[in-house]
Amino acid sequence: MKRLWIQLTLSFGLVALTAIVTVALLANTRAATTFRGYVVRSQVTDSGLIGRLERLYREQGSWEGVETILAAQSGPGQGRGGQGLGALRSSVALADAQGQLIADPNGIATGNSLDVRERDNALPITVANETVGYLLVSESHGGSLPGAAERFLEDLNDIFWWSALLAASIGLVLGLLLARSLTAPLNRLAHGARRIAQGQLDERVPPGGPTEVSQVAEAFNAMAASLQAGETERRHMVADIAHELRTPLTVVQGNLRAMLDDVYPLSKSEVATIYDTTLSLRRLVDDLRELSLAEAGQLELHLSPTAIGPLLERTVTLFEELAASQQITLYATYAPELPMVTGDAERLTQVLRNLVSNALHHTPASGTISLRATAEGSLVRVTVEDNGTGIAADDLPHIFERFYRADRSRSRDRGGSGLGLAITQQLIKLHNGTLGVTSEPGQGTCFWFTLSVA
């Protein structure tokens, strides 16, 4: 009974059965009342009462003395329809052409004049094609329908009940089919969820059923795709980390093995080489930790109104000696009235360091690297532009990925951990900013990011 399709089927069946039984009872009662009224009217019509009333009015021009005729009609066993067993007893009343009651020996009318419903149900009395009165007919207590009429009414009642039973059966079957059609997409979702839990992240559920259920299936597929992409990225990241760690660890292990085998002398220079390698490992681990915290939104930022100009100058001061040694011109420009931005000064400096360091690696001697900051409405746009080698169009979409290098020949010692741009992107996202890049091979590269004005 806990199965949803069973509960829905029973609910549909109960609702259909209740509605059908109610309709059948009302129809049965109404049909019996209407049919008995029809029989009574037919008996009165067959009794010749209307003809006698028409002759009375034609002869006298009024309804004087009509009470005698009506009293005789309402008496027991009067009229052709009232003779013998199996005949309904009738009560009659007469109203004039204006609907005013003239004779009502049995009190069957509701007032001194006929209402609209009573006039519609009355038998008109016409003389010379003119309605001169209305004869109200109703069933009196006592008497029964004639045999044939009684059998007809019983057959009609049987038809009502058999129709109700058939309709209830059809409703139950349709309810079963509808319930199964509603629960089938949910069953597919449950099956898909179990497959996902078993690690089958390529499982997808075909959308179907009502709009709401179809939307759930689409959301489930989107979730599965996101999980699959995340799992793929996780595996790639693990593989990349293992690859990045293997080289320095191999160097350390090889040098130590060589020292133990007396291939290398145990000198400070050899120890310094191993120490430098451990520093590279430490930088890689720190970068990975910082990137994971940034992607999880757990990297702590100290946001406050920050002047971007001094950060540009500080970055230029930090790299000017290195740039001069590579014969590269490095400078910063910004407007004195440049508004402050909302940001973490230390993290924004880290962003500028990453971008300038990346530019220095790709800018040849006699090249130029410029840092600029301009106000654009409620934003401040910062650019780091060089006229170096540029980035190929195939590499451009991937430069913010972990461990990605456009220049595969660059060593890890010269090229860093390969995480700088990925960290930069996450830091700008944490500032609710936007980071972008434009580049043409041989023409240079321009990295830019925007920050909100404080």
Side-chain angles (χ1 to χ4, degrees), residues 1-54:
M1 289 295 291
K2 292 184 178 181
R3 299 298 295 270
L4 179 60
W5 69 269
I6 296 179
Q7 295 178 1
L8 288 175
T9 301
L10 293 178
S11 299
F12 290 144
L14 181 61
V15 171
L17 183 61
T18 302
I20 291 170
V21 169
T22 302
V23 171
L25 288 173
L26 293 176
N28 184 19
T29 303
R30 182 61 179 173
T33 302
T34 303
F35 183 71
R36 294 173 74 89
Y38 168 77
V39 172
V40 169
R41 287 160 60 92
S42 298
Q43 289 178 350
V44 171
T45 302
D46 293 342
S47 69
L49 175 61
I50 294 179
R52 292 196 295 274
L53 293 175
E54 290 176 348

Side-chain angles (χ1 to χ4, degrees), residues 93-149:
L94 182 66
D96 60 15
Q98 287 73 38
Q100 295 296 322
L101 284 174
I102 298 172
D104 187 8
N106 298 286
I108 66 172
T110 58
N112 294 327
S113 61
L114 302 184
D115 57 27
V116 176
R117 183 182 61 83
E118 291 173 330
R119 182 176 296 190
D120 291 339
N121 292 330
L123 297 174
I125 302 173
T126 59
V127 175
N129 296 325
E130 180 182 354
T131 300
V132 296
Y134 295 95
L135 183 65
L136 241 66
V137 182
S138 65
E139 176 188 354
S140 297
H141 294 292
S144 60
L145 289 171

Side-chain angles (χ1 to χ4, degrees), residues 306-309 335-341 374-377 379-380 453-454:
T306 303
I308 201 71
E337 66 276 8
L338 189 69
M340 290 187 174
V341 299
T374 57
E376 297 181 355
L379 300 175
V380 170
V453 172

Side-chain angles (χ1 to χ4, degrees), residues 25 36 58 86 98 103 148 153 188 204 216 234 243 265 275 286 290-291 312 330 339 345 361 382 397 407-408:
L25 288 173
R36 294 173 74 89
R58 188 182 302 114
Q98 287 73 38
L153 187 58
R188 291 196 295 268
R204 298 294 183 271
V216 173
R234 183 190 67 82
H243 175 74
Y275 179 73
D286 288 344
E290 189 170 21
L291 179 60
L312 299 182
L330 176 65
H361 286 306
V382 181
D407 183 3
R408 274 67 169 185

Side-chain angles (χ1 to χ4, degrees), residues 52-83:
R52 292 196 295 274
L53 293 175
E54 290 176 348
R55 284 195 300 271
L56 173 66
Y57 191 88
R58 188 182 302 114
E59 293 172 355
Q60 298 184 169
S62 67
W63 291 113
E64 185 178 352
V66 73
E67 292 85 355
T68 304
I69 298 177
L70 296 182
Q73 176 66 26
S74 299
Q78 297 299 317
R80 291 173 52 193
Q83 297 174 357

Side-chain angles (χ1 to χ4, degrees), residues 28-359:
N28 184 19
T29 303
R30 182 61 179 173
T33 302
T34 303
F35 183 71
R36 294 173 74 89
Y38 168 77
V39 172
V40 169
R41 287 160 60 92
S42 298
Q43 289 178 350
V44 171
T45 302
D46 293 342
S47 69
L49 175 61
I50 294 179
R52 292 196 295 274
L53 293 175
E54 290 176 348
R55 284 195 300 271
L56 173 66
Y57 191 88
R58 188 182 302 114
E59 293 172 355
Q60 298 184 169
S62 67
W63 291 113
E64 185 178 352
V66 73
E67 292 85 355
T68 304
I69 298 177
L70 296 182
Q73 176 66 26
S74 299
Q78 297 299 317
R80 291 173 52 193
Q83 297 174 357
L85 295 175
L88 294 176
R89 296 176 60 84
S90 60
S91 299
V92 292
L94 182 66
D96 60 15
Q98 287 73 38
Q100 295 296 322
L101 284 174
I102 298 172
D104 187 8
N106 298 286
I108 66 172
T110 58
N112 294 327
S113 61
L114 302 184
D115 57 27
V116 176
R117 183 182 61 83
E118 291 173 330
R119 182 176 296 190
D120 291 339
N121 292 330
L123 297 174
I125 302 173
T126 59
V127 175
N129 296 325
E130 180 182 354
T131 300
V132 296
Y134 295 95
L135 183 65
L136 241 66
V137 182
S138 65
E139 176 188 354
S140 297
H141 294 292
S144 60
L145 289 171
E150 187 69 36
R151 286 191 299 273
F152 172 79
L153 187 58
E154 291 176 355
D155 292 342
L156 187 61
N157 291 336
D158 291 341
I159 291 174
F160 280 137
W161 288 112
W162 280 110
S163 299
L165 180 62
L166 178 61
S169 301
I170 294 175
L172 188 63
V173 173
L174 292 178
L176 174 62
L177 296 177
L178 181 59
R180 295 305 296 265
S181 67
L182 289 175
T183 56
L186 298 178
N187 292 332
R188 291 196 295 268
L189 282 171
H191 176 74
R194 286 191 291 268
R195 295 271 295 174
I196 293 290
Q198 294 170 0
Q200 303 294 329
L201 299 182
D202 58 345
E203 180 72 16
R204 298 294 183 271
V205 176
T211 301
E212 292 78 4
V213 178
S214 180
Q215 290 175 347
V216 173
E218 292 173 357
F220 176 89
N221 290 337
M223 177 200 68
S226 178
L227 289 175
Q228 186 178 20
E231 178 64 15
T232 302
E233 185 177 1
R234 183 190 67 82
R235 291 178 180 177
H236 289 169
M237 184 177 178
V238 171
D240 289 339
I241 293 173
H243 175 74
E244 298 299 323
L245 292 175
R246 184 182 296 113
T247 299
L249 287 175
T250 301
V251 172
V252 172
Q253 184 181 13
N255 287 350
L256 290 175
R257 183 75 262 175
M259 290 180 183
L260 291 174
D261 294 341
D262 295 326
V263 176
Y264 292 159
L266 186 58
S267 61
K268 287 188 176 181
S269 62
E270 294 299 333
V271 174
T273 300
I274 297 175
Y275 179 73
D276 290 341
T277 305
T278 61
L279 291 179
S280 298
L281 281 172
R282 176 60 182 270
R283 284 194 300 270
L284 176 60
V285 172
D286 288 344
D287 286 347
L288 285 171
R289 178 178 179 276
E290 189 170 21
L291 179 60
S292 63
L293 289 176
E295 289 180 338
Q298 297 178 356
L299 191 64
E300 186 177 0
L301 294 182
H302 301 284
L303 300 177
S304 62
T306 303
I308 201 71
L311 299 186
L312 299 182
E313 294 177 351
R314 189 185 309 168
T315 304
V316 169
T317 302
L318 178 65
F319 286 97
E320 61 182 356
E321 184 177 346
L322 178 60
S325 67
Q326 297 179 208
Q327 301 179 7
I328 297 173
T329 302
L330 176 65
Y331 66 93
T333 59
Y334 59 93
E337 66 276 8
L338 189 69
M340 290 187 174
V341 299
T342 300
D344 185 323
E346 181 180 350
R347 293 301 181 183
L348 292 178
T349 301
Q350 181 181 357
V351 168
L352 292 171
R353 286 202 309 265
N354 288 342
L355 295 179
V356 172
S357 176
N358 188 70

